[in-house]
Amino acid sequence: MTLGPLMVDIASTALDSSDRQLLRRPMIGGVILFARNYESPEQLAALVGEIHDLRSPALLVAVDQEGGRVQRFREGFTELPAARFIGKQYDLDAARGERLAEACGWIMAMELGAAGVDMSFAPVIDIDRGLCDAIGDRSFHLKPDVVGILAQAYMRGMRKAGMAATAKHFPGHGGVAADSHVACPVDRRDVPDLDDDIAPYARLIGSGLPAVMMAHVSYPAMDRMPAGFSPAWIQQELRGRLGFAGAVVSDDLDMAGAAVAGNMAERAHSALSAGSDLLLVCNNREGALAVADALEDYSQPASQMRLVRLRGRYPLGDEPPQSHPEWEERQAVLAECLGKPALDLGG
């Protein structure tokens, strides 16, 4: 059995029979977890272990663990700052900001890896233009070069901890006010005016970026369809001009920004035809089942290889992250920037 192109969610902190039945279907490639799926690091590790044991190759397990207001697992995990805070630290001291970005990426990935989680969909590299509340403090900065520098440091930290980074939301969600969770945003800028939004992606791609998540935003100057359903954006711009060779991930197909592509099955077919490798369907079990049915005959070996490369490679085996020789140093960087006393991490 191979990894399918569909990533779905589960309802609770443990798998039930309907979850197991769905996750064993060939079209499933992974599971995305939310706060409702978390009670403790021990419970999380048991849940992820059961998900991994269901199939061979094991399903990918992902989460949004960006820091700030988007951190699904909190108690028992390090409280991470929002990306904007990292950007402000950079403005005060560039070297310190870079150290903080790398430390946050490393700590986040180490803690998730210890529980067996393969991926966090991070970092956000949208430009903070003050227009979109859905992005807001999830963005590092207004300046594209600073976003690129900090995202590169964050990705470096993740990589050192054995986790593949996913930059989002390509080509950029920062130029629209509407939230694609509840609307279909339209960015009416000319294509050259999007260069600043795309610049951080070019920088990260040059450093081996493993995955990109697409924006449910349409840019009529390029294509009337949202970017995640657009061959022009995925195949011509992202893979062609920018030379991206990693995995392309859709944003949640159940979001309002995806509705222009039709029903759930039509959205899935459209995203795959445009060049996506992995499709998210969240908080809609009926929709997930419809997509799984619609994709029964789908096969794309190149996509499967790209997905396999997203597997987490936690460096410590069964040892906790606190046993890593860099743990105290990375935590000290975070504590210093937050203005907190250094934690007692000797135990």
Side-chain angles (χ1 to χ4, degrees):
M1 185 177 289
T2 58
L3 291 177
L6 180 58
M7 178 172 274
V8 298
D9 63 308
I10 57 174
S12 190
T13 55
L15 299 181
D16 62 23
S17 59
S18 63
D19 293 326
R20 295 185 190 94
Q21 184 176 11
L22 173 61
L23 298 184
R24 288 191 177 107
R25 295 188 63 165
M27 288 302 102
I28 306 301
V31 176
I32 181 169
L33 301 177
F34 293 90
R36 66 175 181 268
N37 305 124
Y38 179 75
E39 289 179 345
S40 68
E42 296 76 18
Q43 168 271 328
L44 177 64
L47 173 61
V48 174
E50 185 177 5
I51 293 170
H52 281 160
D53 288 344
L54 280 174
R55 297 258 300 268
S56 181
L59 297 172
L60 295 169
V61 178
V63 67
D64 290 312
Q65 190 85 341
E66 301 167 13
R69 59 192 164 103
V70 182
Q71 180 169 337
R72 306 303 188 198
F73 310 148
R74 293 188 178 274
E75 186 174 352
F77 279 75
T78 299
E79 182 179 355
L80 299 169
R84 179 185 288 168
F85 177 85
I86 300 173
K88 289 181 177 179
Q89 294 297 306
Y90 182 92
D91 288 340
L92 295 171
D93 182 328
R96 179 178 176 177
E98 279 195 70
R99 287 195 302 271
L100 177 60
E102 183 171 336
C104 287
W106 188 88
I107 291 167
M108 179 273 293
M110 286 292 287
E111 291 184 330
L112 291 177
V117 177
D118 294 290
M119 332 168 43
S120 173
F121 290 127
V124 171
I125 63 172
D126 297 312
I127 305 300
D128 182 13
R129 291 190 170 83
L131 294 174
C132 185
D133 289 341
I135 302 302
D137 65 358
R138 299 167 66 195
S139 169
F140 287 111
H141 212 274
L142 172 62
K143 296 180 180 178
D145 58 334
V146 176
V147 173
I149 289 168
L150 294 178
Q152 190 173 37
Y154 194 96
M155 181 174 76
R156 186 166 60 245
M158 292 179 68
R159 179 179 289 154
K160 289 179 179 178
M163 182 175 286
T166 303
K168 59 187 186 185
H169 308 80
F170 184 82
H173 203 311
V176 293
D179 178 356
S180 55
H181 289 86
V182 296
C184 298
V186 178
D187 190 327
R188 300 192 181 279
R189 289 179 290 169
D190 291 335
V191 173
D193 294 332
L194 296 166
D195 285 350
D196 282 352
D197 299 75
I198 294 171
Y201 288 95
R203 185 184 191 111
L204 267 61
I205 289 167
S207 296
L209 176 65
V212 164
M213 180 179 286
M214 302 301 295
H216 285 326
V217 177
S218 65
Y219 309 82
M222 175 73 83
D223 192 331
R224 67 178 183 83
M225 292 297 288
F229 305 104
S230 168
W233 277 116
I234 297 177
Q235 297 179 28
Q236 296 174 31
E237 181 70 10
L238 183 58
R239 294 214 183 277
R241 188 177 75 85
L242 296 177
F244 177 64
V248 175
V249 183
S250 82
D251 209 342
D252 182 6
L253 295 185
D254 194 48
M255 289 164 57
V260 295
N263 62 35
M264 295 299 294
E266 291 167 339
R267 298 177 201 186
H269 281 299
S270 179
L272 292 172
S273 296
S276 291
D277 299 299
L278 184 65
L279 312 178
L280 297 181
V281 177
C282 308
N283 304 308
N284 183 346
R285 180 56 62 90
E286 183 178 347
L289 291 168
V291 171
D293 288 341
L295 299 180
E296 276 189 351
D297 297 325
Y298 177 81
S299 178
Q300 178 50 263
S303 285
Q304 292 165 7
M305 289 300 298
R306 287 190 282 265
L307 296 182
V308 167
R309 295 189 190 110
L310 301 180
R311 178 84 60 218
R313 294 173 175 83
Y314 180 62
L316 296 181
D318 293 332
E319 296 298 315
Q322 292 83 356
S323 66
H324 194 283
E326 295 184 25
W327 176 260
E328 292 190 20
E329 176 186 346
R330 305 283 187 166
Q331 286 284 350
V333 169
L334 177 57
E336 177 188 3
C337 291
L338 293 173
K340 295 180 178 180
L343 299 175
D344 180 6
L345 299 169

